[in-house]
Amino acid sequence: MSFLSPLRELNHQQRHTVLASFLGWTLDAFDYFLLVFVIVGISHEFNVDKTEVTYGLFLTLAARPIGALLFGRLADRFGRRPILMLDVILFSLFELATAFSPSLTVLLVLRFMFGVAMGGEWGLGASLAMESIPAKSRGMVSGLLQSGYPCGFFLGALVNWLLVDHIGWRGLFMVGVVPALLVLYIRRKVPESPVWQETQQTQKRSLMEAMQGHWKLAIYLMLLMMAFNMFSHGSQDMYPTFLQENLHIPAGSGTAFMLTALLNLGALVGGLFFGTWSERVGRRKAIAIAALLAIPAIPLWVYGGSLLLLGLGAFLIQVMVQGAWGVVPTHLNELSPDAVRGTLPGFAYQMGNLLAAITATAQTWLAGRHGGDFAFAMSLWMAAVAVLLALLAWFGPEARGVGFGKARGR
């Protein structure tokens, strides 16, 4: 029960804020991951190579820094809550528009626009939640928030499994408009960030003024998030294609769904455990340990040899991948100055996405150079990135428990 005590200590409004932020990231990820399940189907309909379709993933990731900067600055100026609502509506509408793409070119343009909108959600939701809760609850809530990402992946897998044979890939993107309903909940139940209200006079400074003395930190956070995004997208984006191409498991089959469900169950467990554990051992140590523990799970993950071992590997690899990620929301918000907390965490995150946006395409290219062997490409990528992430986290700064607002300090 002590594991859940940080949540029990939140008041009614704080719980609504955490839930809304969790759901925002869950539904955002749900909309993003629908594409990874239908890469093969889209390539067949438009008669193009799968690598060309993966540019949709690249463009989505590459566009996210634009959204993080745009919506982040708006949130620092006008508040977290109203800009979060605007952002959710926009990414839902672009998801719906994707369903009506008449060509691959139009689809790629729409995925870019979706990426702009998606780029704003994480930073807004994380800053709103972290600024609204007690410092001692941040680790647990951080893990919970980041667990929204694998939950979104799971929802995408579930909808794909249940519906793709009936409504096709276009129908899946129509379902993606559902997150817009979250705006009604945010409007009724979620208050504005008390830290933003307390410090809103400082939010009127320009970005350059607010970032004075913090540029080295910003560059470090971008590199850290590059490694984080290479880690997560390297383990997830081409996994459905690996199942189809190397293991000959159809994307809409129960077996594929079971493996994806185990993968996301591991992600949920890892995010909650390591996020909470970081409250005791520190943010850097929790990230580094989770990253390095992913390496021994790689052989089971792609070379298990049986469904049981592959399922165990899928579970364990995501315990570690999303375990490291579970620390990210609190780590980035604690390191960010008050005046740019709506902008810097999300912008650093999404710039990391931009730097890592070639992940799916690079893995596809590497697999192609080795006879279409995605197992080789994914395992090599993950081992190298795990070491890089551990080193960047271990030798970086930490501000665990720092105060937010005018009384900023320990």
Side-chain angles (χ1 to χ4, degrees), residues 298-310:
I298 291 173
L300 281 177
W301 173 52
V302 289
Y303 294 111
S306 70
L307 286 177
L308 177 62
L309 294 178
L310 286 168

Side-chain angles (χ1 to χ4, degrees), residues 81-111:
R81 178 175 171 270
I83 305 305
L84 179 60
M85 290 191 289
L86 172 64
D87 185 81
V88 171
I89 290 172
L90 287 176
F91 81 68
S92 300
L93 291 178
F94 285 126
E95 183 79 358
L96 176 64
T98 303
F100 300 96
S101 302
S103 67
L104 180 63
T105 300
V106 173
L107 185 145
L108 294 179
V109 170
L110 288 170
R111 295 319 287 173

Side-chain angles (χ1 to χ4, degrees), residues 76-77 195-205 406:
D76 281 335
R77 188 66 182 270
V195 174
W196 180 83
Q197 292 176 321
E198 180 183 295
T199 61
Q200 59 181 305
Q201 291 303 316
T202 66
Q203 321 295 358
K204 296 181 180 179
R205 293 184 291 167
K406 293 177 182 178

Side-chain angles (χ1 to χ4, degrees), residues 27 31 85 88-89 91-93 176-184:
L27 296 171
D31 278 1
M85 290 191 289
V88 171
I89 290 172
F91 81 68
S92 300
L93 291 178
V177 76
V178 169
L181 299 175
L182 178 63
V183 169
L184 300 176

Side-chain angles (χ1 to χ4, degrees), residues 83-391:
I83 305 305
L84 179 60
M85 290 191 289
L86 172 64
D87 185 81
V88 171
I89 290 172
L90 287 176
F91 81 68
S92 300
L93 291 178
F94 285 126
E95 183 79 358
L96 176 64
T98 303
F100 300 96
S101 302
S103 67
L104 180 63
T105 300
V106 173
L107 185 145
L108 294 179
V109 170
L110 288 170
R111 295 319 287 173
F112 181 86
M113 298 304 297
F114 170 79
V116 172
M118 184 180 184
E121 199 287 330
W122 184 89
L124 300 181
S127 60
L128 177 60
M130 291 298 153
E131 290 178 342
S132 300
I133 63 174
K136 63 184 178 180
S137 299
R138 288 179 196 156
M140 170 63 175
V141 171
S142 178
L144 179 63
L145 293 184
Q146 202 56 40
S147 295
Y149 196 70
C151 285
F153 193 169
F154 173 77
L155 287 177
L158 180 62
V159 169
N160 177 68
W161 178 45
L162 293 176
L163 300 179
V164 71
D165 290 338
H166 305 288
I167 62 177
W169 67 265
R170 294 181 185 275
L172 294 185
F173 287 114
M174 292 181 190
V175 175
V177 76
V178 169
L181 299 175
L182 178 63
V183 169
L184 300 176
Y185 176 74
I186 296 173
R187 186 178 181 186
R188 287 177 58 89
K189 299 292 187 179
V190 178
E192 182 55 83
S193 159
V195 174
W196 180 83
Q197 292 176 321
E198 180 183 295
T199 61
Q200 59 181 305
Q201 291 303 316
T202 66
Q203 321 295 358
K204 296 181 180 179
R205 293 184 291 167
S206 71
L207 178 62
M208 294 299 176
E209 291 174 325
M211 282 298 298
Q212 189 172 0
H214 302 295
W215 288 106
K216 287 183 180 179
L217 171 65
I219 292 171
Y220 165 75
L221 292 180
M222 291 175 197
L223 292 175
L224 179 68
M225 296 315 298
M226 175 193 72
F228 262 111
N229 281 289
M230 291 167 68
F231 201 40
S232 60
H233 289 288
S235 69
Q236 294 174 330
D237 289 6
M238 298 312 298
Y239 187 71
T241 303
F242 158 70
L243 295 181
Q244 294 175 66
E245 297 292 301
N246 291 172
L247 301 185
H248 307 293
I249 298 173
S253 68
T255 300
F257 172 71
M258 180 200 71
L259 289 171
T260 305
L262 286 170
L263 180 150
N264 286 286
L265 178 61
L268 182 64
V269 170
L272 291 172
F273 174 78
F274 281 96
T276 304
W277 193 47
S278 75
E279 218 42 75
R280 294 178 54 191
V281 303
R283 315 305 188 202
R284 295 179 304 153
K285 188 173 182 179
I287 292 169
I289 290 175
L292 293 177
L293 286 177
I295 296 175
I298 291 173
L300 281 177
W301 173 52
V302 289
Y303 294 111
S306 70
L307 286 177
L308 177 62
L309 294 178
L310 286 168
L312 179 61
F315 176 83
L316 290 175
I317 196 82
Q318 290 302 322
V319 167
M320 307 313 166
V321 171
Q322 295 303 325
W325 266 99
V327 187
V328 168
T330 185
H331 190 42
L332 265 60
N333 276 274
E334 287 172 336
L335 288 173
S336 298
D338 290 324
V340 289
R341 191 169 296 113
T343 304
L344 181 56
F347 184 64
Y349 182 165
Q350 306 304 355
M351 278 301 296
N353 254 323
L354 174 60
L355 295 172
I358 200 69
T359 294
T361 303
Q363 286 184 328
T364 303
W365 176 85
L366 186 59
R369 298 280 290 183
H370 291 80
D373 188 354
F374 279 96
F376 170 81
M378 292 162 62
S379 59
L380 179 64
W381 184 277
M382 289 298 292
V385 171
V387 174
L388 174 64
L389 175 57
L391 290 173

